[in-house]
Amino acid sequence: MNMPGGGRGVLEGAFALLEAVERAGESRLTALAAESGLPKTTARRLLEQLVELGAVERSGGLFRMGSRMFRLGLGWQPHPGMLALARRPVHELARATGATVGIFVLREGRALTAAAVPGEWDTFAPMRAGTAFPWTTAAGKVLVAGAPAGLPVDPPTKTWSREAARIREAGFAVDRQEVAEGVCCVAVPLRGRSGTAVAALCALVDPSQPLSPLTASVVRAGRVISASMQGHSGR
């Protein structure tokens, strides 16, 4: 990795180290330097600074993510007030359908879980905040279908343009064991004040469950959440 001079280079190096720590869970300086592509002396200096800031914790010769990063991460959400506004509809949807329900955003070409409520099939296909899935899941497809061209996603299939048009027209996307065997999903976009989809609401069930009633329930919950977001000032 080339480390340009100045503050930006320092920040890039720090984030490269934080990402290396996150991937490793807990690791030593030498391994983290290699993983982040930084010289060992640079990695040592940055890790010491991150430890002082509480972003990284040190236990003996091992480094792990610090509590300060955890606290900061809890405050992140894809739209102002979204998680609070969505909490009740998401829990009601999970209770009514037995589905595992999550809110997703597109990040780095993948569907990233922003929040999740476990359902009856959670042990089979767990969904946790921070977990990323291929964009070809229902949540990813409904967001990619409505997004501007040029997103950093895997090359679409030859039939994707037709499928994307169907998703936009229907207002939802379905995944029938396309990504994982034994898992079916239904997803709808969640729209902010501008009408742009900022996230997706997705419900996951066992293939034995009928998708038509689930789809209707997800669509209703999505409309409730979107209406709340559009009426929320963000203050």
Side-chain angles (χ1 to χ4, degrees), residues 121-230:
W121 296 276
D122 187 64
T123 54
F124 178 71
M127 189 188 295
R128 299 288 182 269
T131 304
F133 297 91
W135 76 266
T136 47
T137 59
K141 288 195 292 186
V142 82
L143 290 171
V144 173
L151 285 175
V153 298
D154 297 331
T157 63
K158 294 180 180 179
T159 60
W160 168 243
S161 59
R162 292 195 297 273
E163 183 178 3
R166 288 196 298 269
I167 290 170
R168 289 191 295 270
E169 182 177 359
F172 63 86
V174 175
D175 172 0
R176 294 182 174 87
Q177 304 187 79
E178 297 164 29
V179 175
E181 186 177 354
V183 177
C184 291
C185 306
V186 177
V188 298
L190 299 176
R191 303 186 184 279
R193 298 188 71 180
S194 67
T196 302
V198 295
L201 175 69
C202 183
L204 177 154
V205 294
D206 178 271
S208 66
Q209 303 303 304
L211 290 187
S212 292
L214 176 65
T215 300
S217 296
V218 175
V219 168
R220 284 194 297 270
R223 287 173 178 167
V224 169
I225 297 170
S226 291
S228 297
M229 290 166 53
Q230 289 161 14

Side-chain angles (χ1 to χ4, degrees), residues 95-121:
R95 283 196 300 268
T97 62
T100 293
V101 181
I103 293 177
F104 291 81
V105 294
L106 276 177
R107 292 294 185 274
E108 298 178 355
R110 294 171 66 80
L112 175 68
T113 313
V117 174
E120 296 175 8
W121 296 276

Side-chain angles (χ1 to χ4, degrees), residues 3-94:
M3 291 300 301
R8 181 171 180 177
V10 173
L11 286 173
E12 288 175 347
F15 273 97
L17 272 173
L18 287 171
E19 289 174 348
V21 171
E22 190 274 332
R23 287 192 296 269
E26 192 174 62
S27 191
R28 296 186 180 276
L29 167 63
T30 301
L32 292 173
E35 177 70 16
S36 62
L38 295 170
K40 189 173 179 179
T41 53
T42 301
R44 178 185 291 108
R45 174 174 52 82
L46 290 175
L47 281 170
E48 288 174 352
Q49 293 173 353
L50 290 169
V51 168
E52 290 178 4
L53 292 170
V56 170
E57 293 179 352
R58 178 168 44 205
S59 177
L62 296 173
F63 295 89
R64 58 174 177 262
M65 200 65 74
S67 60
R68 190 172 188 181
M69 293 301 295
F70 174 74
R71 293 196 305 272
L72 290 172
L74 290 176
W76 178 85
Q77 53 187 320
H79 184 276
M82 170 188 278
L83 298 185
L85 296 169
R87 185 174 296 114
R88 181 173 178 178
V90 165
H91 279 81
E92 289 177 345
L93 177 62

